[in-house]
């Protein structure tokens, strides 16, 4: 459904991605794991064309593009099939929850205002915010703001949603509500690629896991397998550091 091949990206002489390839099937939840600085954010940003890769290809459904040379038309076409959830929510502060969700539909996808309102309501209900339609970001907790961002991502019915550390800006007590929202989407079969440091969540919710280090994929496979029987020593060390003392259980 999504296939990414041989992504390279350097900033100056800092080679951040050194040939990253992976694929995602419909309904997969792919957790991307790795220490800070390993290139996870850059990878997602390249796939969304926020950053221009030096080399690589992406294919979503039948639409394929070169990550370095894709035309604006091609980029637009691919973006119609994806959504992105940022670490810091990226909501418009002067728009309330429902307007934030509507905007993605009317501006990005040409949906009429009336229809957009209807879809936005449904999406906000889905993330548990039926009672917050007209609240502005400043009136919402971080967890609620991130759920608005998830509703916005969901509303356009993308083929895949990319998440870049969706809970790392949150106070610890608000992490659970966002992870639960994402788990619910996983159960409904929404295809997602999630960069996260929430290891227990990744282990319990992801179908596939990718462990990255220094711009390469060290290991990837079924999530359960990677977490219980990592093949590479580097993966083992990384996991043992993180799985101590986790406190999130689905
Ligand atoms: N816009 C940029 N300009 C220069 N260097 C960058 C830029 N974005 C990321 N980097 C560098 O790329 C490397 C990987 O960063 P990043 O993709 O953010 O890693 P991660 O998300 O895994 O923590 C880091 O060394 C970072 O400093
Ligand atoms: Mg990052």
């Amino acid at each position: 459904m999504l296939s990414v091949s041989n992504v390279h990206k350097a900033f100056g002489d800092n080679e951040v991605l050194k040939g990253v390839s992976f694929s995602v099937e419909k309904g997969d939840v792919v957790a991307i794991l790795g220490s800070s600085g390993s290139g996870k954010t850059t990878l997602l940003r390249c796939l969304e064309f926020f950053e221009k890769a030096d080399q690589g290809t992406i294919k979503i459904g039948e639409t394929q593009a070169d990550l370095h040379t894709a035309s604006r038309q091609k980029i637009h076409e691919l973006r119609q099939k994806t959504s992105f959830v940022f670490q810091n929510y990226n909501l418009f502060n002067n728009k309330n929850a429902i307007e934030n969700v509507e905007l993605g539909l009317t501006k990005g996808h040409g949906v009429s205002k009336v229809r957009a309102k209807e879809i936005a309501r449904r999406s906000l209900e889905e993330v548990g915010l039926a009672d917050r339609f007209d609240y502005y970001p400043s009136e919402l907790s971080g967890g609620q703001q991130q759920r608005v961002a998830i509703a916005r991502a969901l509303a356009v019915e993308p083929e895949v949603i990319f998440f870049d550390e969706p809970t790392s800006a949150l106070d610890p007590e608000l992490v659970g509500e966002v992870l639960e929202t994402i788990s619910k989407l996983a159960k409904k079969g929404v295809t997602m690629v999630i960069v996260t440091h929430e290891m227990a969540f990744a282990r319990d919710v992801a179908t596939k896991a990718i462990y990255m280090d220094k711009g390469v994929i060290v290991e990837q496979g079924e999530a359960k397998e990677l977490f219980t029987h990592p093949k590479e020593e580097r993966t083992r060390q990384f996991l043992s550091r993180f799985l101590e003392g986790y406190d999130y259980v689905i």
Side-chain angles (χ1 to χ4, degrees):
M1 200 276 292
L2 164 70
S3 135
V4 172
S5 179
N6 200 27
V7 184
H8 285 261
K9 174 71 183 173
F11 294 104
D13 54 12
N14 183 11
E15 218 184 328
V16 173
L17 298 174
K18 303 169 186 165
V20 172
S21 304
F22 65 93
S23 59
V24 178
E25 304 301 326
K26 196 170 161 51
D28 266 346
V29 177
V30 180
I32 301 184
L33 318 172
S35 311
S36 173
S38 54
K40 307 178 300 296
T41 294
T42 304
L43 174 63
L44 290 193
R45 290 177 58 81
C46 285
L47 301 185
E48 195 70 16
F49 297 92
F50 295 146
E51 206 76 68
K52 191 193 262 196
D54 300 324
Q55 194 185 325
T57 57
I58 183 169
K59 187 170 183 218
I60 305 179
E62 292 310 303
T63 311
Q64 179 159 1
D66 185 301
L67 290 169
H68 186 66
T69 60
S71 64
R72 286 172 82 168
Q73 164 61 29
K74 198 62 128 182
I75 292 172
H76 177 73
E77 208 179 306
L78 282 166
R79 281 192 181 148
Q80 297 282 313
K81 299 172 187 276
T82 64
S83 293
F84 202 100
V85 174
F86 300 86
Q87 195 171 332
N88 293 310
Y89 337 127
N90 277 23
L91 299 177
F92 291 104
N93 289 323
N94 59 342
K95 308 271 180 210
N96 65 29
I98 205 145
E99 290 165 343
N100 264 286
V101 179
E102 275 172 31
L103 261 181
L105 289 157
T106 51
K107 289 266 184 287
H109 289 252
V111 177
S112 74
K113 268 212 100 136
V114 176
R115 178 105 182 88
K117 193 168 287 300
E118 210 177 283
I119 299 171
R121 285 213 171 98
R122 219 175 42 225
S123 296
L124 285 168
E125 279 162 10
E126 204 162 328
V127 300
L129 292 174
D131 54 349
R132 292 289 185 276
F133 288 167
D134 56 358
Y135 282 56
Y136 286 84
S138 62
E139 301 169 326
L140 297 169
S141 72
Q144 290 169 335
Q145 290 182 63
Q146 191 60 299
R147 285 190 282 148
V148 173
I150 293 172
R152 176 177 62 183
L154 201 58
V156 298
E157 295 184 4
E159 299 199 21
V160 55
I161 307 180
F162 297 120
F163 293 76
D164 188 11
E165 295 198 32
T167 60
S168 60
L170 297 172
D171 290 336
E173 72 270 22
L174 300 177
V175 168
E177 68 186 64
V178 171
L179 296 183
E180 272 160 35
T181 302
I182 299 172
S183 306
K184 242 170 76 183
L185 301 185
K187 290 201 183 92
K188 286 186 58 186
V190 177
T191 311
M192 299 182 275
V193 176
I194 309 172
V195 171
T196 185
H197 289 296
E198 298 292 336
M199 291 299 145
F201 164 78
R203 183 193 59 194
D204 297 341
V205 175
T207 55
K208 286 185 184 165
I210 292 175
Y211 169 57
M212 276 182 74
D213 190 30
K214 300 188 179 79
V216 297
I217 292 180
V218 174
E219 183 167 349
Q220 60 178 316
E222 297 292 319
K224 296 277 174 298
E225 186 64 17
L226 188 134
F227 274 99
T228 50
H229 302 107
K231 291 190 180 59
E232 301 292 330
E233 183 54 31
R234 263 196 288 176
T235 315
R236 214 166 298 152
Q237 281 178 7
F238 175 79
L239 290 176
S240 68
R241 258 194 290 137
F242 267 97
L243 278 171
E244 283 164 19
Y246 70 86
D247 58 3
Y248 180 79
V249 181
I250 299 291

